[in-house]
Amino acid sequence: MLSLLRKVRKKLLEEGSFGSYLLYALGEIVLIILGILVALWIDGKTEEGREARQEQFYLEGLRDEFQLSLTKLDTLVAVNRKTYVTARDLLASIPVAESREDEKALARGLIATLSFEIDYNPNNSLLREMMNAGRLQTLSDPALRRQLTSWESILESVNRQESNLRNIREQLLEVALGPKGSILAIMQDAGIASRYVGQELPRSAHSNLPMLKSQEFENKLVTFLVTAEGTESVHYLPLRHEILSILKR
């Protein structure tokens, strides 16, 4: 093609036809510009395809991550709910407890209330990688980008609430560990002592009813119950709604 154009140009120059040469020159410039524009268009389409594939890769990865995070959250909500429902039953049972059988039932309720650590740990490795590398701009949905940008701050709020709940749980345990309580008696009454301290130990003669009926224990238990319920209603359920909203994008 270039060889042919050079021959045409040479012929026009030899013939001395300036007007025809000028038209030829303009046509050649137009062809060059068109060639550049076509090349740019092809490059643009290639880049658009690459960006689209990259975006789809990230969207699929984020969808898998948030689906797993949703499953973890649902499991944690169920555990937390079981904890505060048991705490509510324990609170209702304490005032009427008098016998050894009642004390055993309270011990089982106390163990069930305090046995579970509440700690939400979502899967966000891909999201963190994207944020650290500045890849969120790869996503074309601005609303999704805003949600993902605010995700860490939402988690920080949830984690602060969980930390508060753990502190209250520890305070409740400290009452049982105090001078009025016997951890061994609680474990024996709940039927789990042999699993941890052996079967050869004699039954503790200590009664935990005075400790369980104390105003201090009641206050701590009520605080734990209210905090656990608030963790679900104020933090976990809105978090679940946010995850579902992200998954619908």
Side-chain angles (χ1 to χ4, degrees), residues 159-222:
N159 291 336
R160 284 194 297 271
Q161 176 68 11
E162 290 177 333
S163 178
N164 187 34
L165 180 60
R166 282 193 294 272
N167 289 337
I168 296 172
R169 173 176 172 266
E170 290 172 3
Q171 293 174 22
L172 191 56
L173 277 170
E174 287 175 0
V175 178
L177 291 169
K180 293 183 179 179
S182 169
I183 293 298
L184 177 60
I186 291 173
M187 294 174 67
Q188 287 176 328
D189 285 341
I192 62 172
S194 60
R195 191 187 313 169
Y196 300 100
V197 297
Q199 297 180 349
E200 68 278 3
L201 291 176
R203 170 65 178 83
S204 173
H206 186 90
S207 172
N208 283 299
L209 280 179
M211 180 272 293
L212 293 170
K213 288 178 176 288
S214 70
Q215 191 62 53
E216 181 183 15
F217 183 83
E218 179 186 277
N219 291 341
K220 301 293 185 183
L221 184 59
V222 170

Side-chain angles (χ1 to χ4, degrees), residues 25-243:
L26 290 175
E28 188 172 342
I29 292 172
V30 170
L31 286 175
I32 292 173
I33 292 173
L34 287 175
I36 293 173
L37 291 176
V38 170
L40 290 174
W41 181 81
I42 293 174
D43 287 344
K45 287 297 182 180
T46 302
E47 180 65 18
E48 287 178 7
R50 186 188 68 80
E51 291 178 354
R53 290 191 296 273
Q54 187 177 52
E55 180 182 16
Q56 188 61 31
F57 169 79
Y58 284 136
L59 287 174
E60 291 176 359
L62 289 171
R63 188 177 297 112
D64 290 342
E65 277 195 351
F66 277 92
Q67 188 61 58
L68 184 56
S69 294
L70 177 63
T71 301
K72 285 187 173 183
L73 180 60
D74 285 343
T75 300
L76 190 60
V77 167
V79 171
N80 184 59
R81 186 174 298 167
K82 181 179 180 180
T83 295
Y84 71 70
V85 167
T86 306
R88 187 185 297 129
D89 293 341
L90 181 62
L91 185 65
S93 302
I94 287 174
V96 296
E98 298 294 341
S99 68
R100 284 286 303 120
E101 290 304 313
D102 292 337
E103 187 174 351
K104 289 180 181 180
L106 293 179
R108 290 191 293 269
L110 184 61
I111 292 293
T113 300
L114 302 179
S115 290
F116 300 101
E117 186 78 12
I118 304 299
D119 184 18
Y120 183 53
N121 183 28
N123 287 65
N124 289 139
S125 57
L126 178 59
L127 176 58
R128 291 193 181 97
E129 177 187 327
M130 291 178 65
M131 295 183 69
N132 292 336
R135 299 285 177 81
L136 280 184
Q137 294 303 317
T138 305
L139 307 179
S140 58
D141 186 344
L144 177 59
R145 291 200 303 269
R146 286 194 296 270
Q147 284 182 292
L148 295 177
T149 301
S150 62
W151 176 252
E152 287 295 333
S153 63
I154 295 174
L155 287 183
E156 288 175 3
S157 177
V158 170
N159 291 336
R160 284 194 297 271
Q161 176 68 11
E162 290 177 333
S163 178
N164 187 34
L165 180 60
R166 282 193 294 272
N167 289 337
I168 296 172
R169 173 176 172 266
E170 290 172 3
Q171 293 174 22
L172 191 56
L173 277 170
E174 287 175 0
V175 178
L177 291 169
K180 293 183 179 179
S182 169
I183 293 298
L184 177 60
I186 291 173
M187 294 174 67
Q188 287 176 328
D189 285 341
I192 62 172
S194 60
R195 191 187 313 169
Y196 300 100
V197 297
Q199 297 180 349
E200 68 278 3
L201 291 176
R203 170 65 178 83
S204 173
H206 186 90
S207 172
N208 283 299
L209 280 179
M211 180 272 293
L212 293 170
K213 288 178 176 288
S214 70
Q215 191 62 53
E216 181 183 15
F217 183 83
E218 179 186 277
N219 291 341
K220 301 293 185 183
L221 184 59
V222 170
T223 305
F224 177 83
L225 169 59
V226 171
T227 305
E229 286 184 308
T231 300
E232 177 181 334
S233 61
V234 181
H235 295 273
Y236 285 160
L237 295 185
L239 178 63
R240 189 178 193 278
H241 176 77
E242 184 70 10
I243 294 176

